[in-house]
Amino acid sequence: MAAEIQPQPQARKPCLLSKIEAFQDVVSTAVIIPKEDGVISVSEDRTIRVWLKRDSGQYWPSVYHTMSSKYFCSLFFHPQYMFICKLYLCYNDFILSEDYNKMTPASTYQAHQGRVTVVLFVLEMEWLLSTGQDKNFNWHCSESGQQLGTYRTAACVSGLQFDVETRHAFVGDQSGQVTILKLEQDSCSLVTTFKGHTGNVTALCWDPVQRVLFSGSSDHSIIMWDIGGRKGTAIEMQGHHDKVQGLCYASHTRQLISCSSDGGIVIWNMDVTRQETPEWLDSDSCQKCEQPFFWNFKQMWDSKKIGLRQHHCRKCGQAVCGKCSSKRSTIPLMGFEFEVRVCDSCHESITDEDRAPTATFHDSKHCIVYMHYEPTTGNLLTSGTDKVIKVWMGTNSICCIHESQFRNASTQ
């Protein structure tokens, strides 16, 4: 009788497929062409290039277009349209031929009085959303080019997402705040604002199925905001040592992919029940041993003891002294993939199962400035300060390989 084949745990490590290195300057943004072995890149050397993979396995440019302005900051690609943000004042609309060998300028949108930071095309609404350093959030009709509305933000915007079903725009800015706006054809209304980051928001990602918003920040953290639950739940996720540069969500595998400027790529398992981190409690003395903290002069005088420095347990939120919080532990379900300070009693309550990681960590070996995820193939693209684009085999392909190996083994 043949031995029973047990399926192996699915690996989630991205594997490098290709590198594109023919750039004179940093690639500020790039995208994988859906259902094609191709890449579109926008570089600070003023070039827009469409790369197609040849039979040799190498990428070669089928389109090489030089812009009059040197500065670009954003690219949004749809099979029917391509929008390039110039650094100042406007963005351009290009039409790509079906064979990706020709690029034709279509329209120019004069949208802002300063640097354009993000542009987003909403096909269902035929809207172009854009933000700029002039602190304006605008939306245009993509057919007529007419500006439909504008909203003045509190700070320069650095992240933008849109939900078609509710017409909610999610706007992240450099103050660390995320604003939710309800857009109409020619007006908008403020829904709410929330802030959890100590640094500026650097990336936003919206999952319309689970109705969850992810925000990344220069404070190295990611926050998962439960918009659909309407309970204001915010779960912090600590897995980077540097500024978060990009966020992508793979809905089919329930994984969040994040990258940071030090080259780290983290793949988070979001198919788990995560816990909200507790509020830090205020106290004038250690809530474990009752020793006074150094500002509590009365208790210090009465007890004739030197005041201690205050710390907080990341699991229970209690204010504790260093002696009562000498232990460290990971708490992955609370988002702490690195070891953090916990009080001694919480440390004893944390089991090996509680310490099981919910994320995997990978080194891209270049300092990432931009990341793009292509959901139909599951492939990932990163561009770095080394002027190199890397294309990675993502979770879709890896799962297919494992499933194929399992089927082949079971038939032998």
Side-chain angles (χ1 to χ4, degrees):
M1 185 175 66
E4 182 180 358
I5 306 292
Q6 296 293 335
Q8 298 297 314
Q10 298 299 323
R12 292 181 291 177
K13 182 178 179 179
C15 302
L16 183 63
L17 293 176
S18 304
K19 292 199 296 185
I20 305 175
E21 300 179 294
F23 297 99
Q24 300 299 315
D25 215 328
V26 174
V27 176
S28 55
T29 182
V31 298
I32 299 172
I33 300 174
K35 301 179 182 179
E36 292 283 343
D37 281 331
V39 169
I40 302 173
S41 66
V42 178
S43 173
E44 293 181 7
D45 63 7
R46 294 194 303 150
T47 62
I48 305 168
R49 308 185 205 187
V50 179
W51 305 82
L52 297 179
K53 195 178 221 181
R54 306 304 183 187
D55 293 338
S56 63
Q58 299 296 315
Y59 284 90
W60 290 90
S62 62
V63 172
Y64 189 104
H65 180 83
T66 302
M67 297 285 284
S68 58
S69 172
K70 177 180 178 181
Y71 302 103
F72 311 100
C73 63
S74 184
L75 160 69
F76 184 86
F77 174 76
H78 182 274
Q80 297 176 3
Y81 305 94
M82 182 170 67
F83 301 97
I84 306 292
C85 284
K86 289 186 178 179
L87 182 59
Y88 291 103
L89 304 180
C90 65
Y91 48 89
N92 297 84
D93 173 10
F94 294 88
I95 298 176
L96 279 173
S97 61
E98 291 186 3
D99 59 3
Y100 296 101
N101 284 310
K102 184 179 181 181
M103 187 174 76
T104 306
S107 306
T108 298
Y109 299 83
Q110 298 292 332
H112 294 275
Q113 297 302 312
R115 172 178 177 171
V116 180
T117 54
V118 187
V119 64
L120 192 63
F121 174 52
V122 184
L123 177 64
E124 295 84 352
M125 313 296 300
E126 295 185 340
W127 285 352
L128 284 171
L129 315 181
S130 65
T131 62
Q133 283 196 340
D134 57 2
K135 300 182 182 179
N136 283 336
F137 164 59
N138 299 332
W139 61 105
H140 288 72
C141 174
S142 61
E143 291 297 310
S144 66
Q146 178 184 357
Q147 180 172 313
L148 302 176
T150 186
Y151 178 85
R152 181 78 171 174
T153 59
C156 295
V157 174
S158 46
L160 178 63
Q161 291 285 278
F162 185 77
D163 180 54
V164 175
E165 181 181 340
T166 62
R167 295 190 182 184
H168 284 161
F170 306 98
V171 183
D173 64 41
Q174 293 183 1
S175 72
Q177 179 174 281
V178 177
T179 302
I180 303 181
L181 302 172
K182 171 77 171 183
L183 298 193
E184 303 296 345
Q185 188 66 23
D186 55 0
S187 65
C188 74
S189 57
L190 175 65
V191 177
T192 188
T193 60
F194 39 85
K195 184 171 182 179
H197 292 291
T198 57
N200 45 309
V201 174
T202 53
L204 290 179
C205 180
W206 170 244
D207 173 21
V209 178
Q210 303 297 322
R211 308 205 63 76
V212 169
L213 179 71
F214 300 95
S215 61
S217 172
S218 59
D219 64 10
H220 311 175
S221 72
I222 299 167
I223 296 180
M224 181 177 73
W225 308 90
D226 184 8
I227 306 298
R230 300 182 182 275
K231 295 180 180 179
T233 304
I235 295 176
E236 189 173 346
M237 299 157 64
Q238 298 282 355
H240 288 283
H241 296 290
D242 212 331
K243 177 174 70 172
V244 178
Q245 289 285 71
L247 295 171
C248 304
Y249 187 72
S251 58
H252 53 284
T253 57
R254 297 288 301 274
Q255 292 174 332
L256 176 71
I257 306 168
S258 61
C259 69
S260 53
S261 55
D262 61 359
I265 298 175
V266 182
I267 301 178
W268 306 80
N269 177 16
M270 302 310 299
D271 197 19
V272 295
T273 302
R274 294 187 176 271
Q275 303 167 14
E276 199 169 8
T277 52
E279 294 280 346
W280 283 6
L281 302 178
D282 292 325
S283 179
D284 292 328
S285 59
C286 175
Q287 294 181 298
K288 296 296 182 181
C289 68
E290 299 184 349
Q291 291 277 8
F293 293 133
F294 64 83
W295 62 82
N296 190 349
F297 297 113
K298 184 179 185 306
Q299 188 176 346
M300 288 166 56
W301 177 264
D302 292 342
S303 62
K304 302 297 187 292
K305 293 180 179 179
I306 298 175
L308 303 176
R309 182 181 174 186
Q310 183 190 65
H311 301 281
H312 284 90
C313 172
R314 297 321 192 257
K315 190 174 189 298
C316 67
Q318 287 190 327
V320 290
C321 66
K323 184 178 179 181
C324 294
S325 59
S326 59
K327 304 289 196 305
R328 300 288 188 276
S329 177
T330 60
I331 321 174
L333 291 180
M334 281 189 169
F336 298 116
E337 295 287 340
F338 304 142
E339 289 191 341
V340 291
R341 181 186 295 270
V342 293
C343 66
D344 293 351
S345 58
C346 282
H347 188 270
E348 293 177 1
S349 70
I350 300 174
T351 65
D352 290 341
E353 185 179 353
D354 294 332
R355 293 187 177 93
T358 62
T360 57
F361 300 85
H362 316 282
D363 184 8
S364 68
K365 300 190 184 303
H366 68 165
C367 298
I368 298 174
V369 298
Y370 188 79
M371 177 177 72
H372 175 253
Y373 173 74
E374 211 299 292
T376 59
T377 61
N379 287 346
L380 190 71
L381 175 150
T382 59
S383 63
T385 56
D386 56 358
K387 307 174 187 177
V388 173
I389 290 176
K390 295 184 179 183
V391 180
W392 308 83
M393 181 171 67
T395 54
N396 281 14
S397 303
I398 292 172
C399 289
C400 289
I401 290 172
H402 282 292
E403 290 169 4
S404 175
Q405 292 172 341
F406 174 66
R407 285 195 298 269
N408 292 338
S410 63
T411 56
Q412 293 177 356

